[in-house]
């Protein structure tokens, strides 16, 4: 399959639209190669080619039929167009149409037609010319970005023009608004997700047609209108009222503020104070119910203050280093309310749902990840301790039944090593309890095994608690964050020691004839430990972030 990519952006390789076009072609290529169809891609960059405007002499129709009198790169382009199976037209929207460079190329296609009038077969418009060359059933895809928040309603001229010269609807389209965001590294989480949808569209197109679900992903806005427009306005670095040029750090702070997700508002205004230590400059960002605003006069009282070099903060936003990791390494300091830092993704865009373009049908679906749940590990243990200590024979059977049911009850969650080991341990202990009919002793052995799980995990790269809670702290990247790992090691060790101690006091209380106290103590102590865990996991990072 021969693909011709025509890049009609005057920006050449720096074109936003080109990123989309390349992703689309990647998808087409992958689908073809899966079916062992070789793919050949030819890329034409109009900005670096020589294609002059049509002179309107009609020489290509009479004096030199099929040949243009202008000696430039257009003859080569026509030859490539004629041999392509698929032409991908990549271009920015300029004044609601294609840029002049591409319009020149389109005009210069006149030698591809014969001068004779012909009836249109698609009933579109009033007039047509016969094609000079045999129709090779070349397919066409238009890929374009534009500067407004949505592509909807902005491409009517483009679509009409291509309808006229390619035939009504004889092409596929991939149009995106907010095009300038594709070049911003700080926003790559969102733009890469969009480019992935474009790639998927390419694969589906190669296999027949773009699915409705993918079309919905393509129609989703990169950012919601208001948020995008604030970001776009801030990016020019010009004060809206005075027209004055703004400093780089102010532009950056304003852009960060524009990423604020006002849906995260919890009823209380917050003031995020940024102190750039290397520049000696402070900005305050008011995070309110109607959005965010940057203050330079320091008239507000800070809720949370971040002290960082400007350079580091830029690196964090470009994702060259994660904010959590840098904080864990004490590369910057946070004072005041630490809650804002713990929920940064919620406040500043990382957790935004895809916003459906209101101009198109709603309903983007996102597939939920099967995240492990600590309940999968705890349910077998808790039911084992309760049922076996009440009645060894029946209790052990109940406990075995629960172990068998857990994979389907917790089917929404992925089973991890500690879930599997727990299921095996509880099942074995239940069988032993059933055979020996000594539920009390075996349930105490369970405390020992459970405690050892926690302690052994502290000797690995991922303490047991981290294996479950890391998903609320950025997933695998949390493992690089000392502010996350340290408290998890400490807490996992505490839980391990607690259960080893539980084994010891359960044994001695039983021997001392104080068995009545065992259920009270063994239920109360984990509750206190749970409260300590909840407090410590918040207190420790905040304490460290203050520079301790
Ligand atoms: C001269 C000019 C005209 C433009 N006209 C429009 C327009 O009519 N509508 C729009 O949404 N964006 C318009 N834009 C913005 C571009 O379409 C947008 O920046 C696009 O992402 C650039 O794509 P590229 O990087 O592939 O060249 C215009 C930009 C320029 C420079």
């Amino acid at each position: 399959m021969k693909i011709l990519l025509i890049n009609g952006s005057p920006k050449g390789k720096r074109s936003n639209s080109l990123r989309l076009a390349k992703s689309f072609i990647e998808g087409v290529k992958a689908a073809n190669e899966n079916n062992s169809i070789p793919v050949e891609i030819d890329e034409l960059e109009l900005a670096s080619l020589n294609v002059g405007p049509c002179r309107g002499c009609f020489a290509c129709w009479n004096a030199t039929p099929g040949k243009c009198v202008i000696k430039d790169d257009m003859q080569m382009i026509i030859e490539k167009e004629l041999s392509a199976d698929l032409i991908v037209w990549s271009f920015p929207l300029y004044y609601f149409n294609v840029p002049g460079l591409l319009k020149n190329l389109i005009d210069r296609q006149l030698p591809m037609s014969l001068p004779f009038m012909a009836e249109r077969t698609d009933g579109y418009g009033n007039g047509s010319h016969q094609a000079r060359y045999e129709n090779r059933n070349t397919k066409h895809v238009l890929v374009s970005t534009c500067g407004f928040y949505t592509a909807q309603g902005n491409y009517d001229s483009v679509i009409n023009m291509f309808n006229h010269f390619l035939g009504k609807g004889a092409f596929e389209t991939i149009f995106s608004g907010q095009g300038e965001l594709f070049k911003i590294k700080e926003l790559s989480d969102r733009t890469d997700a969009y480019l992935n949808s474009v790639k998927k569209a390419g694969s589906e197109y190669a296999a027949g047609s773009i699915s409705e679900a993918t079309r919905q992903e393509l129609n989703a806005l990169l950012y919601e209108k208001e948020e995008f427009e604030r970001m776009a306005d801030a990016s020019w670095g010009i004060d809206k009222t005075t027209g004055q040029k703004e400093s780089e750090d102010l532009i950056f702070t304003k852009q960060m503020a524009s990423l604020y997700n006002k849906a995260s508002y919890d009823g209380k205004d917050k003031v995020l104070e940024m102190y750039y230590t290397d520049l000696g400059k402070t900005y305050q960002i008011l995070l309110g119910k109607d959005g965010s605003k940057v203050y330079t006069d320091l008239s507000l009282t800070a809720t949370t203050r971040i002290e960082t070099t400007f350079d580091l903060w830029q690196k964090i936003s470009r994702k060259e280093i994660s904010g959590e990791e840098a904080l864990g390494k004490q590369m910057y300091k946070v004072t005041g309310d630490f809650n804002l830092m713990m929920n940064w993704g919620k406040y500043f865009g990382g957790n935004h749902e895809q916003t459906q373009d209101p101009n198109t049908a709603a309903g983007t679906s996102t597939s939920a990840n099967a995240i492990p749940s600590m309940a999968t590990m705890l349910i077998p243990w808790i039911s084992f301790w309760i049922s076996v200590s009440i009645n060894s024979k029946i209790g052990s059977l109940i406990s075995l039944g629960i172990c068998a049911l857990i994979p389907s009850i917790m089917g929404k969650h992925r089973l991890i090593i500690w879930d599997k080991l727990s299921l095996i341990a509880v099942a074995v202990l239940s069988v032993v309890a059933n055979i020996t009919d000594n539920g009390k002793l075996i349930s105490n052995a369970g405390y020992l095994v459970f405690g050892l799980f926690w302690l052994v995990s502290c000797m690995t790269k991922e303490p047991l608690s981290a294996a479950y809670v890391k998903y609320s702290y950025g997933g695998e990247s949390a493992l690089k964050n000392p502010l996350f790992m340290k408290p998890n090691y400490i807490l996992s060790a505490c839980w391990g020691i607690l259960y080893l101690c539980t084994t010891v006091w359960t044994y001695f209380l039983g021997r001392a004839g104080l068995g009545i106290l065992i259920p009270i103590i063994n239920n109360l102590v984990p509750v206190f430990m749970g409260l300590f865990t909840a407090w410590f996991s918040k207190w420790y990072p905040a304490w460290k972030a203050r520079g301790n």
Side-chain angles (χ1 to χ4, degrees), residues 184-248:
I184 302 178
K185 229 178 155 196
E186 286 85 341
L187 306 177
S188 59
D189 278 354
R190 178 65 190 103
T191 49
D192 284 353
Y194 191 89
L195 291 176
N196 257 331
S197 302
V198 176
K199 183 176 168 189
K200 192 160 37 133
S203 290
E204 291 175 359
Y205 175 80
S209 62
I210 299 174
S211 70
E212 190 48 38
T214 304
R215 191 42 84 188
Q216 297 244 350
E217 285 171 27
L218 297 175
N219 286 340
L221 297 178
L222 290 175
Y223 288 88
E224 74 176 60
K225 176 177 186 288
E226 203 186 314
E227 190 177 8
F228 161 72
E229 289 180 349
R230 265 188 285 128
M231 238 188 311
D233 287 352
S235 71
W236 299 113
I238 306 289
D239 187 287
K240 236 179 169 174
T241 41
T242 64
Q244 295 283 310
K245 180 105 189 77
E246 292 170 331
S247 65
E248 199 192 344

Coordinates of all heavy atoms in Angstrom, one line a residue, residues 184-248:
I184 N 2.7 21.4 23.3 CA 3.1 21.8 24.7 C 3.3 20.5 25.5 O 2.4 19.7 25.7 CB 1.9 22.6 25.4 CG1 1.7 23.9 24.5 CG2 2.3 23.0 26.8 CD1 0.6 24.8 25.0
K185 N 4.6 20.3 25.8 CA 5.0 19.1 26.5 C 4.3 18.9 27.8 O 4.0 17.8 28.2 CB 6.6 19.2 26.8 CG 7.3 18.0 26.3 CD 8.8 18.1 26.5 CE 9.3 16.7 26.6 NZ 10.6 16.7 27.2
E186 N 4.1 20.0 28.5 CA 3.4 19.9 29.8 C 2.0 19.3 29.7 O 1.5 18.8 30.7 CB 3.3 21.3 30.4 CG 4.5 21.9 30.9 CD 5.3 22.7 29.9 OE1 5.1 22.4 28.7 OE2 6.2 23.5 30.2
L187 N 1.4 19.3 28.5 CA 0.1 18.8 28.4 C 0.1 17.4 27.7 O -1.0 16.9 27.3 CB -0.8 19.8 27.6 CG -0.9 21.2 28.2 CD1 -1.7 22.1 27.3 CD2 -1.4 21.2 29.6
S188 N 1.3 16.8 27.6 CA 1.4 15.6 26.8 C 0.5 14.4 27.3 O 0.1 13.6 26.5 CB 2.8 15.2 26.7 OG 3.3 14.9 27.9
D189 N 0.2 14.4 28.6 CA -0.7 13.3 29.0 C -2.0 13.3 28.2 O -2.4 12.3 27.7 CB -1.1 13.5 30.5 CG 0.0 13.0 31.4 OD1 1.0 12.4 30.9 OD2 -0.1 13.2 32.7
R190 N -2.6 14.5 28.1 CA -3.9 14.6 27.4 C -3.7 14.5 25.9 O -4.4 13.8 25.2 CB -4.5 15.9 27.8 CG -5.8 16.2 27.1 CD -6.9 15.2 27.5 NE -8.1 15.2 26.7 CZ -8.4 14.4 25.7 NH1 -7.6 13.4 25.4 NH2 -9.5 14.5 25.0
T191 N -2.7 15.2 25.3 CA -2.5 15.2 23.9 C -2.1 13.8 23.4 O -2.5 13.3 22.3 CB -1.6 16.3 23.4 OG1 -0.4 16.2 24.2 CG2 -2.2 17.6 23.5
D192 N -1.3 13.1 24.2 CA -0.8 11.7 23.8 C -2.0 10.8 23.8 O -2.1 9.9 22.9 CB 0.2 11.2 24.7 CG 1.6 11.8 24.4 OD1 1.7 12.6 23.4 OD2 2.5 11.6 25.2
A193 N -2.9 11.0 24.7 CA -4.1 10.1 24.7 C -5.0 10.4 23.5 O -5.5 9.5 22.9 CB -5.0 10.4 26.0
Y194 N -5.0 11.7 23.1 CA -5.8 12.0 21.8 C -5.1 11.4 20.6 O -5.7 10.8 19.8 CB -5.9 13.5 21.7 CG -6.9 13.9 20.6 CD1 -8.2 14.1 20.9 CD2 -6.5 14.0 19.3 CE1 -9.2 14.4 19.9 CE2 -7.4 14.4 18.3 CZ -8.7 14.5 18.6 OH -9.6 14.8 17.6
L195 N -3.7 11.5 20.6 CA -3.0 10.9 19.5 C -3.2 9.4 19.4 O -3.2 8.8 18.3 CB -1.5 11.3 19.5 CG -1.2 12.8 19.3 CD1 0.3 13.1 19.6 CD2 -1.7 13.3 18.0
N196 N -3.3 8.8 20.5 CA -3.6 7.4 20.5 C -4.9 7.0 19.9 O -5.1 6.0 19.2 CB -3.6 6.9 22.0 CG -2.4 6.2 22.3 OD1 -1.7 5.6 21.4 ND2 -2.0 6.2 23.6
S197 N -5.9 7.9 20.2 CA -7.2 7.7 19.6 C -7.1 7.9 18.1 O -7.8 7.1 17.3 CB -8.3 8.7 20.1 OG -8.4 8.6 21.5
V198 N -6.3 8.8 17.6 CA -6.1 9.1 16.2 C -5.5 7.8 15.6 O -5.9 7.4 14.5 CB -5.3 10.3 15.9 CG1 -5.0 10.5 14.5 CG2 -6.0 11.6 16.5
K199 N -4.5 7.3 16.3 CA -3.8 6.1 15.8 C -4.8 4.9 15.6 O -4.9 4.2 14.7 CB -2.7 5.7 16.7 CG -1.9 4.5 16.3 CD -0.7 4.2 17.2 CE -0.1 2.9 16.8 NZ 0.9 2.4 17.7
K200 N -5.7 4.8 16.7 CA -6.7 3.7 16.7 C -7.6 4.0 15.5 O -8.0 3.0 14.7 CB -7.5 3.8 18.0 CG -8.4 2.6 18.2 CD -8.8 2.4 19.6 CE -9.1 3.6 20.5 NZ -10.3 3.6 21.2
A201 N -8.0 5.2 15.2 CA -8.8 5.6 14.1 C -8.1 5.1 12.8 O -8.8 4.6 11.9 CB -9.1 7.1 14.0
G202 N -6.8 5.3 12.7 CA -6.1 4.8 11.5 C -6.2 3.3 11.3 O -6.5 2.9 10.2
S203 N -6.1 2.6 12.4 CA -6.1 1.1 12.3 C -7.5 0.7 11.8 O -7.7 -0.2 11.0 CB -5.8 0.5 13.6 OG -4.5 0.6 13.9
E204 N -8.5 1.4 12.5 CA -9.9 1.0 12.1 C -10.2 1.4 10.7 O -10.9 0.6 10.0 CB -10.9 1.7 13.1 CG -10.8 1.1 14.5 CD -11.6 1.9 15.5 OE1 -12.3 2.8 15.1 OE2 -11.6 1.5 16.7
Y205 N -9.7 2.5 10.3 CA -10.0 3.0 8.9 C -9.4 2.0 7.9 O -10.1 1.6 6.9 CB -9.3 4.4 8.7 CG -9.4 4.9 7.3 CD1 -10.5 5.5 6.8 CD2 -8.3 4.8 6.5 CE1 -10.6 6.0 5.5 CE2 -8.3 5.3 5.2 CZ -9.5 5.9 4.7 OH -9.5 6.3 3.4
A206 N -8.2 1.5 8.2 CA -7.5 0.5 7.3 C -8.3 -0.8 7.3 O -8.3 -1.5 6.2 CB -6.1 0.3 7.8
A207 N -9.0 -1.1 8.4 CA -9.8 -2.3 8.4 C -11.2 -2.2 7.9 O -11.9 -3.1 7.8 CB -9.8 -2.9 9.8
G208 N -11.6 -1.0 7.5 CA -13.0 -0.8 7.0 C -13.5 0.6 7.3 O -13.6 1.5 6.4
S209 N -13.8 0.9 8.6 CA -14.2 2.2 8.9 C -14.0 2.6 10.4 O -13.8 1.6 11.2 CB -15.7 2.4 8.6 OG -16.4 1.4 9.5
I210 N -14.0 3.8 10.7 CA -13.7 4.3 12.1 C -15.0 4.0 12.9 O -16.1 4.4 12.5 CB -13.3 5.8 12.1 CG1 -12.1 6.0 11.3 CG2 -13.2 6.3 13.5 CD1 -11.7 7.5 11.1
S211 N -14.8 3.3 14.1 CA -15.9 3.0 14.9 C -16.5 4.2 15.6 O -15.9 5.2 15.7 CB -15.5 2.0 16.0 OG -14.7 2.6 16.9
E212 N -17.8 4.0 16.0 CA -18.5 5.1 16.7 C -17.8 5.5 17.9 O -17.6 6.7 18.3 CB -19.9 4.6 16.9 CG -20.9 5.7 17.4 CD -20.8 7.0 16.6 OE1 -20.7 6.9 15.3 OE2 -20.9 8.1 17.2
A213 N -17.3 4.5 18.7 CA -16.6 4.7 20.0 C -15.3 5.6 19.7 O -15.1 6.6 20.5 CB -16.2 3.4 20.6
T214 N -14.6 5.3 18.7 CA -13.3 6.0 18.4 C -13.7 7.4 17.9 O -13.1 8.4 18.3 CB -12.5 5.3 17.4 OG1 -12.2 4.0 17.9 CG2 -11.2 6.0 17.1
R215 N -14.8 7.5 17.2 CA -15.2 8.8 16.7 C -15.6 9.7 17.9 O -15.3 10.9 17.9 CB -16.4 8.6 15.7 CG -16.9 9.7 14.9 CD -15.9 10.5 14.2 NE -15.4 10.1 13.0 CZ -14.3 10.8 12.4 NH1 -13.8 11.8 13.0 NH2 -13.9 10.3 11.3
Q216 N -16.2 9.1 18.9 CA -16.5 9.9 20.1 C -15.3 10.4 20.8 O -15.2 11.5 21.3 CB -17.3 9.0 21.0 CG -18.6 8.5 20.5 CD -19.8 9.1 21.2 OE1 -19.7 9.7 22.3 NE2 -21.0 8.9 20.7
E217 N -14.2 9.5 20.8 CA -13.0 10.0 21.4 C -12.4 11.1 20.6 O -11.8 12.1 21.2 CB -12.0 8.8 21.5 CG -12.3 7.8 22.5 CD -11.4 6.5 22.4 OE1 -10.3 6.6 21.9 OE2 -11.9 5.4 22.8
L218 N -12.5 11.1 19.3 CA -11.9 12.1 18.5 C -12.7 13.4 18.6 O -12.2 14.5 18.5 CB -11.9 11.7 17.0 CG -11.0 10.5 16.7 CD1 -11.2 10.1 15.2 CD2 -9.6 10.8 17.0
N219 N -14.0 13.3 18.9 CA -14.8 14.5 19.1 C -14.7 15.1 20.5 O -15.2 16.2 20.7 CB -16.3 14.1 18.8 CG -16.6 13.9 17.4 OD1 -15.8 14.4 16.5 ND2 -17.7 13.2 17.1
A220 N -14.1 14.4 21.4 CA -14.0 14.9 22.8 C -13.0 16.1 22.7 O -12.0 16.1 22.0 CB -13.4 13.8 23.7
L221 N -13.3 17.1 23.5 CA -12.4 18.3 23.6 C -11.2 17.9 24.3 O -11.3 17.1 25.3 CB -13.1 19.4 24.3 CG -14.4 20.0 23.7 CD1 -15.0 21.1 24.6 CD2 -14.1 20.6 22.3
L222 N -10.1 18.5 24.0 CA -8.8 18.2 24.8 C -9.0 18.7 26.2 O -8.8 18.1 27.2 CB -7.6 18.9 24.1 CG -7.2 18.3 22.8 CD1 -6.1 19.1 22.2 CD2 -6.7 16.9 22.9
Y223 N -9.5 20.0 26.3 CA -9.8 20.6 27.6 C -11.1 21.3 27.4 O -11.5 21.7 26.3 CB -8.7 21.6 28.0 CG -7.5 20.9 28.4 CD1 -6.5 20.6 27.5 CD2 -7.3 20.6 29.7 CE1 -5.3 19.9 27.9 CE2 -6.1 19.9 30.1 CZ -5.2 19.6 29.2 OH -4.0 18.9 29.6
E224 N -11.8 21.5 28.5 CA -13.1 22.2 28.4 C -12.9 23.6 27.9 O -11.8 24.2 28.1 CB -14.0 22.1 29.6 CG -13.5 23.0 30.7 CD -14.5 22.9 31.9 OE1 -14.6 21.8 32.5 OE2 -15.0 23.9 32.3
K225 N -13.9 24.1 27.2 CA -13.8 25.4 26.5 C -13.1 26.5 27.3 O -12.1 27.1 27.0 CB -15.2 25.8 26.0 CG -15.3 27.2 25.3 CD -16.7 27.4 24.9 CE -16.8 28.7 24.1 NZ -16.7 29.9 24.8
E226 N -13.7 26.7 28.5 CA -13.3 27.8 29.4 C -11.8 27.7 29.8 O -11.0 28.6 29.7 CB -14.2 27.9 30.6 CG -14.3 29.2 31.3 CD -15.1 29.0 32.6 OE1 -16.1 28.3 32.5 OE2 -14.6 29.4 33.6
E227 N -11.5 26.4 30.2 CA -10.1 26.1 30.6 C -9.1 26.4 29.5 O -8.1 27.0 29.6 CB -10.1 24.7 31.1 CG -8.9 24.3 31.8 CD -9.0 22.8 32.3 OE1 -10.0 22.1 31.9 OE2 -8.1 22.4 33.0
F228 N -9.5 25.8 28.3 CA -8.6 26.0 27.1 C -8.4 27.5 26.8 O -7.3 27.9 26.5 CB -9.2 25.3 25.9 CG -8.6 25.7 24.6 CD1 -7.3 25.4 24.3 CD2 -9.3 26.6 23.8 CE1 -6.8 25.9 23.1 CE2 -8.8 27.0 22.6 CZ -7.5 26.7 22.3
E229 N -9.5 28.2 26.8 CA -9.4 29.6 26.4 C -8.6 30.4 27.4 O -7.8 31.3 27.0 CB -10.8 30.2 26.2 CG -11.5 29.6 24.9 CD -12.8 30.1 24.6 OE1 -13.5 30.8 25.4 OE2 -13.3 29.8 23.5
R230 N -8.7 30.1 28.7 CA -7.8 30.8 29.6 C -6.3 30.5 29.4 O -5.5 31.3 29.4 CB -8.2 30.4 31.1 CG -9.2 31.4 31.7 CD -9.4 31.1 33.1 NE -10.3 29.9 33.3 CZ -10.0 28.9 34.0 NH1 -8.9 28.8 34.7 NH2 -10.9 27.9 34.1
M231 N -6.1 29.2 29.1 CA -4.7 28.7 28.8 C -4.2 29.4 27.6 O -3.1 29.9 27.5 CB -4.8 27.2 28.6 CG -3.9 26.5 29.5 SD -3.8 24.7 29.1 CE -5.4 24.1 28.9
A232 N -5.0 29.4 26.5 CA -4.6 30.0 25.3 C -4.3 31.5 25.4 O -3.3 32.0 25.0 CB -5.7 29.8 24.2
D233 N -5.2 32.2 26.2 CA -5.0 33.6 26.4 C -3.7 33.9 27.1 O -2.9 34.8 26.8 CB -6.2 34.2 27.2 CG -7.4 34.4 26.3 OD1 -7.3 34.1 25.1 OD2 -8.5 34.7 26.8
A234 N -3.5 33.1 28.1 CA -2.2 33.2 29.0 C -1.0 33.0 28.1 O 0.1 33.6 28.4 CB -2.3 32.3 30.2
S235 N -1.1 32.1 27.1 CA 0.1 31.7 26.4 C 0.7 32.8 25.6 O 1.9 32.7 25.3 CB -0.2 30.5 25.5 OG -1.0 30.9 24.4
W236 N 0.0 33.8 25.3 CA 0.5 34.9 24.4 C 1.5 35.8 25.2 O 2.3 36.5 24.7 CB -0.6 35.8 23.8 CG -1.4 34.9 22.9 CD1 -2.7 34.6 23.1 CD2 -1.1 34.3 21.7 NE1 -3.2 33.8 22.1 CE2 -2.2 33.6 21.2 CE3 0.1 34.2 21.0 CZ2 -2.1 32.8 20.1 CZ3 0.2 33.4 19.8 CH2 -1.0 32.8 19.4
G237 N 1.4 35.7 26.6 CA 2.3 36.5 27.4 C 2.1 38.0 27.3 O 3.0 38.8 27.5
I238 N 0.9 38.4 27.0 CA 0.5 39.8 26.9 C -0.6 40.1 27.9 O -1.6 39.3 27.9 CB 0.0 40.1 25.5 CG1 1.0 39.7 24.4 CG2 -0.4 41.6 25.4 CD1 2.2 40.5 24.3
D239 N -0.5 41.1 28.7 CA -1.5 41.4 29.7 C -2.8 41.9 29.0 O -2.7 42.7 28.1 CB -1.0 42.5 30.6 CG -2.0 42.8 31.8 OD1 -3.1 43.4 31.5 OD2 -1.7 42.4 32.9
K240 N -3.9 41.3 29.3 CA -5.1 41.5 28.6 C -5.6 43.0 28.7 O -6.1 43.5 27.7 CB -6.2 40.6 29.2 CG -6.9 39.7 28.1 CD -7.9 38.9 28.8 CE -8.8 38.2 27.8 NZ -9.7 37.2 28.3
T241 N -5.3 43.6 29.8 CA -5.8 45.0 30.0 C -4.8 46.0 29.5 O -5.1 47.0 28.8 CB -6.3 45.3 31.4 OG1 -5.3 44.7 32.3 CG2 -7.7 44.8 31.7
T242 N -3.5 45.8 29.9 CA -2.5 46.8 29.6 C -1.8 46.6 28.2 O -1.2 47.5 27.7 CB -1.4 46.9 30.7 OG1 -0.7 45.6 30.6 CG2 -1.9 47.1 32.0
G243 N -1.9 45.4 27.7 CA -1.2 45.1 26.5 C 0.3 44.9 26.6 O 1.0 44.7 25.7
Q244 N 0.8 45.0 27.9 CA 2.2 44.9 28.2 C 2.7 43.4 28.1 O 2.0 42.5 28.4 CB 2.5 45.3 29.6 CG 2.2 46.7 29.9 CD 3.3 47.6 29.4 OE1 4.5 47.4 29.7 NE2 2.9 48.7 28.7
K245 N 4.0 43.2 27.7 CA 4.6 41.9 27.6 C 4.8 41.4 29.1 O 5.2 42.2 29.9 CB 5.9 42.0 26.9 CG 6.7 40.7 26.7 CD 6.5 40.2 25.3 CE 7.1 38.8 25.2 NZ 6.3 37.7 25.7
E246 N 4.5 40.1 29.3 CA 4.6 39.6 30.7 C 5.9 38.8 30.8 O 6.4 38.3 29.8 CB 3.4 38.7 31.0 CG 2.1 39.5 31.1 CD 0.9 38.6 31.2 OE1 0.9 37.5 30.7 OE2 -0.1 39.0 31.9
S247 N 6.4 38.6 32.0 CA 7.6 37.8 32.2 C 7.3 36.3 32.1 O 6.1 35.9 32.2 CB 8.2 38.0 33.6 OG 7.3 37.6 34.6
E248 N 8.3 35.5 31.8 CA 8.1 34.1 31.5 C 7.5 33.4 32.7 O 6.6 32.5 32.6 CB 9.5 33.5 31.2 CG 9.5 32.2 30.5 CD 10.9 31.5 30.6 OE1 11.9 32.2 30.8 OE2 10.9 30.3 30.3

